[in-house]
Structures are given as structure tokens and as C-alpha cells.
């Protein structure tokens, strides 16, 4: 019945615990990624604006192709497939058509004429959310730090709700010490299922 309505996939984001994962697996869901949600409960009162030295600007329609390439180079192919992205020949990548893109703001970090990072920021009734993409599977910590400082400053300067949450996928390793330096702590381990 759902296929006739245009539904091709159903997604679940569940706690990384045996009971919920096995329950969803028992009805046909498959795990395609793991992530840790980090939370910054009380941001510092100072802004990090003075630490942002990179060129970060709001994304424009002309950035769509570059953001699709950024997604293609920063997300493993099995995750891209699970998220239903047909590749560079198809329509825009998930960062262009996700909840954050629809309800938040998208920014790009450019080095010269090349976009090497992207950040999405959204605010809701329970806090604010940050999500970044960078060029490689092993993110350049300087690029991530610039995006993080920009995002935290934007949230603070615009009086958006806290706490601040962000997700780090299992393929975005090496972020723990950087996030801890800014006051983030692990909040929840999640499994993405389809």
C-alpha cells in the first residue's frame, strides 16, 4: 500500500541497545549507520566569532552541485545508498533535502573558490542542532573547528535555544577531543535503520 503512495523507504533512528535494534530488525529494518549525539548543555557566554578566520557564507542555489559533491566525498557509498541518493547524476544530495535544510540554515566554508565544508543549523523547542560535512572520511580538524565556532557563535548571537546537539557518524572519527574542548559531552548512541 505504501508503494502506491510513493513511499520507497521507512527510516528509524533508535537507541544503540539490543532490544530496540533487534525489535526493528525483526520487522525488516536494516542498520546502515551508527552515530553519537553530542550535547553542549550550557554554552559559554563568550562568542567564538573571533576564532572564525575561514570564509563562511550562507549557501546559495548555485552551491547545490558543490554540496552534492561534498556529500558524495564525505559519506560512505553504503550510507548514500541507504539514504536513497542516486549519485551525482541524480537530484540533490540529502544535505539539500533534509529536515535541517527545510527548517534551518545552510552555510558553506570556502577556501578560495572551492567549498570544502558545510554546516547546517536549526533551532527547535528543545534546543539547537548543528550538522557538518567535510571533504574527507577523516575530517580536517581545522575545518570542523571553524564550522563549529561559526555555528556556536551564530546560535549565541541570535539567542537560539540551548542545549546544542550535533551528531558524529561512526565514519567521522577523531572528533571526541575537539568536541570536549568546547564543552560537548556524549548524550546518546544511535543506530540509523532503513
Amino acid at each position: 500500500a505504501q508503494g502506491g503512495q510513493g513511499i520507497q523507504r521507512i527510516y528509524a533512528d533508535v537507541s544503540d541497545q539490543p532490544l530496540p535494534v533487534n525489535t526493528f530488525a525483526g520487522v525488516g529494518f536494516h542498520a546502515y549507520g551508527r552515530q553519537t549525539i553530542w550535547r553542549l548543555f550550557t554554552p559559554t557566554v563568550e562568542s567564538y566569532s573571533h576564532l572564525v578566520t575561514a570564509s563562511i557564507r550562507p549557501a546559495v542555489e548555485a552551491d547545490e552541485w558543490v554540496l552534492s559533491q561534498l556529500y558524495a566525498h564525505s559519506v560512505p557509498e553504503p550510507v548514500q545508498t541507504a539514504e536513497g541518493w542516486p549519485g551525482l547524476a541524480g537530484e540533490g544530495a540529502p544535505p539539500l533535502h533534509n529536515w535541517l535544510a527545510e527548517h534551518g540554515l545552510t552555510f558553506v566554508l570556502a577556501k578560495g573558490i572551492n567549498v570544502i565544508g558545510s554546516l547546517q543549523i536549526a533551532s527547535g523547542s528543545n534546543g539547537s542542532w548543528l550538522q557538518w560535512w567535510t571533504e574527507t572520511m577523516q575530517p580536517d580538524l581545522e575545518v570542523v573547528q571553524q564550522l563549529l565556532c561559526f555555528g556556536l557563535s551564530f546560535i549565541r548571537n541570535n539567542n537560539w535555544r540551548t542545549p546544542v546537539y550535533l551528531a558524529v557518524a561512526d565514519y567521522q572519527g577523531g572528533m571526541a577531543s575537539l568536541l570536549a574542548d568546547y564543552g560537548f559531552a556524549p548524550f546518546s548512541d544511535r543506530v540509523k535503520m532503513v
Side-chain angles (χ1 to χ4, degrees), residues 2-191:
Q2 288 90 357
Q5 298 172 7
I7 296 173
Q8 296 178 352
R9 291 175 177 78
I10 299 174
Y11 294 95
D13 182 335
V14 301
S15 178
D16 194 358
Q17 300 292 322
L19 181 60
V21 171
N22 291 338
T23 300
F24 277 84
V27 294
F29 281 81
H30 300 279
Y32 71 90
R34 287 183 156 68
Q35 62 185 7
T36 298
I37 307 298
W38 290 74
R39 177 175 65 184
L40 176 60
F41 208 86
T42 309
T44 61
V45 292
E46 82 259 8
S47 173
Y48 294 111
S49 297
H50 64 285
L51 297 177
V52 179
T53 58
S55 173
I56 300 176
R57 61 169 173 76
V60 295
E61 192 173 319
D63 293 320
E64 191 164 319
W65 170 252
V66 175
L67 290 172
S68 292
Q69 288 183 317
L70 189 60
Y71 174 81
H73 294 118
S74 64
V75 176
E77 285 187 35
V79 175
Q80 293 177 30
T81 301
E83 291 181 344
W85 190 52
L88 290 172
E91 62 185 54
L96 299 164
H97 304 288
N98 64 16
W99 183 88
L100 288 167
E102 293 173 14
H103 296 94
L105 301 168
T106 301
F107 296 91
V108 294
L109 185 154
K111 187 174 187 179
I113 62 169
N114 299 317
V115 171
I116 61 171
S118 177
L119 176 73
Q120 290 180 311
I121 309 171
S123 185
S125 59
N126 296 319
S128 296
W129 187 269
L130 297 174
Q131 187 66 52
W132 76 74
W133 285 268
T134 57
E135 272 291 346
T136 62
M137 296 298 179
Q138 297 297 322
D140 179 339
L141 288 180
E142 178 63 26
V143 171
V144 174
Q145 182 179 29
Q146 290 291 296
L147 293 169
L148 185 60
C149 287
F150 179 87
L152 292 174
S153 297
F154 185 92
I155 289 168
R156 181 191 177 280
N157 296 340
N158 289 284
N159 296 315
W160 282 17
R161 293 184 184 269
T162 57
V164 178
Y165 298 91
L166 61 83
V168 177
D170 53 359
Y171 54 83
Q172 294 175 308
M175 296 293 115
S177 63
L178 175 66
L179 294 174
D181 286 347
Y182 286 88
F184 282 88
F187 175 67
S188 176
D189 290 322
R190 314 293 297 172
V191 176

